[in-house]
Amino acid sequence: MLQGWGTNLAVYDSVADTINEAYRFVQFDFPGFGDSDEPREAWNVDAYADFFCELMKALGIEKAALIGHSYGGRVIIKLASRESLPFTITNIVLIDSAGILPVKSFSQKAKEKRYKILKKVLNIKAVYALFPELIDDWRNRQGSEDYRKATPIMRQCLVMAVNEDLSHLLPKIKQDTLLIWGDLDTATPIGDARIMEEKIPGAGLAVLKGTGHFSFLEQPATFRRIMRSYFRLE
C-alpha cells in the first residue's frame, strides 16, 4: 500500500481489511510521512520510487500487487513505467491517484505571475524589515493546506511532485490496472481518472458516487465489494 501525501499508514487499515485474509498486506510510511523520518534532502518522485525498490529488496518481496492512493499513485506510475525492477508488479490499483498536471486557465496563470512578482518584492530584506509580521502572515497563507503544513524539505518534495506531469508514462504501464475514484474529488478530479483510463492499456474505472479524494473511506462497503471482486475473493 503506497500512501497519499500527508497521511499515515493507519489511514489504509480499511483497505487492508478488504483483502488481507488472502494476501500479505504491507503498510508503511514513506520517509517524511506519518512516523517516518523525513529525507535529509528533498526527494522527487523518482527518489521515492527508488526507496520503494530498496524496501522491497529488504523485505524479500519478489512479486506484488501495488495499491496507491493519491501521491502513492504517482510512485506506482513511475515504477510501472520503468524498463526493469527488482520485483514483479502483478496488478495495480490506483485510488484517486495523482499524476496528471492540470491545464491552467488564463486567470490562474495571471494569479501565479502576480504571486511570483509579489514574492520577489517581499523577499527584499529592506521591505521585509518594514513589515515582518505582515509578510510572515501572508507567507503562511500561501499554497495548499498540504504545503502550509509541510516542513521546508517536504515542501520542496511536494512542489517537485505537483509540477511533474506523468501522463506520458501511462501508456508504458502494461500491468492489469484498476482505477477507483470519487466523482466529487477536487484534489485529483474525475477527469484525471478518464485520462488514465484512456492512456493505460486495458485499464478499468470504478466510480464511487458522491465521494471525494478519500473515496475508500467515504463509501467503505462499496469499495470493499470492488476490491474483493477485482482480487477474485467473491
Side-chain angles (χ1 to χ4, degrees):
M1 180 73 228
L2 285 74
Q3 70 199 120
W5 186 271
T7 65
N8 64 70
L9 59 87
V11 170
Y12 303 96
D13 286 349
S14 63
V15 180
D17 288 342
T18 64
I19 60 172
N20 62 4
E21 87 268 17
Y23 291 87
R24 176 190 179 193
F25 197 100
V26 179
Q27 294 164 258
F28 68 98
D29 282 328
F30 276 128
F33 294 50
D35 293 328
S36 289
D37 293 336
E38 64 184 39
R40 294 179 182 178
E41 59 185 14
W43 282 8
N44 59 18
V45 181
D46 281 299
Y48 276 99
D50 292 340
F51 165 84
F52 183 74
C53 289
E54 292 302 316
L55 176 66
M56 294 293 274
K57 285 189 212 175
L59 295 175
I61 299 174
E62 298 179 354
K63 181 173 67 173
L66 301 186
I67 303 169
H69 172 239
S70 192
Y71 183 86
R74 287 185 186 273
V75 179
I76 291 176
I77 292 169
K78 286 282 191 175
L79 291 165
S81 63
R82 290 184 175 183
E83 292 186 4
S84 63
L85 290 170
F87 62 95
T88 299
I89 303 174
T90 58
N91 301 72
I92 293 172
V93 179
L94 299 178
I95 307 166
D96 298 291
S97 176
I100 305 297
L101 190 66
V103 177
K104 295 178 182 177
S105 66
F106 177 80
S107 61
Q108 287 174 319
K109 290 179 181 178
K111 183 179 179 181
E112 188 175 275
K113 188 174 182 179
R114 289 195 300 271
Y115 166 78
K116 288 180 178 178
I117 293 172
L118 185 56
K119 182 180 179 181
K120 190 173 182 180
V121 171
L122 297 181
N123 281 338
I124 298 173
K125 290 183 179 180
V127 175
Y128 182 80
L130 292 172
F131 312 102
E133 293 182 2
L134 187 63
I135 292 173
D136 285 341
D137 179 67
W138 177 83
R139 286 174 176 168
N140 290 332
R141 289 185 284 107
Q142 302 310 303
S144 66
E145 184 179 357
D146 284 336
Y147 182 84
R148 293 193 299 272
K149 288 182 177 179
T151 65
I153 283 181
M154 296 308 293
R155 282 183 177 184
Q156 293 178 59
C157 296
L158 181 59
V159 168
M160 285 189 285
V162 300
N163 286 318
E164 184 178 11
D165 185 17
L166 306 184
S167 59
H168 66 288
L169 298 178
L170 299 176
K172 297 181 180 182
I173 298 176
K174 304 306 179 187
Q175 294 83 359
D176 190 87
T177 302
L178 171 65
L179 308 169
I180 304 177
W181 231 271
D183 64 337
L184 302 182
D185 191 341
T186 55
T188 55
I190 189 66
D192 293 0
R194 304 292 184 195
I195 293 172
M196 291 189 183
E197 182 185 22
E198 177 185 351
K199 290 184 176 290
I200 299 174
L205 171 62
V207 179
L208 298 182
K209 299 289 186 180
T211 66
H213 194 53
F214 288 80
S215 58
F216 62 98
L217 294 178
E218 296 175 58
Q219 284 199 17
T222 303
F223 177 81
R224 177 182 176 84
R225 288 196 298 271
I226 292 169
M227 287 287 285
R228 292 183 66 80
S229 175
Y230 181 68
F231 285 97
R232 299 181 180 180
L233 299 179
E234 289 187 350

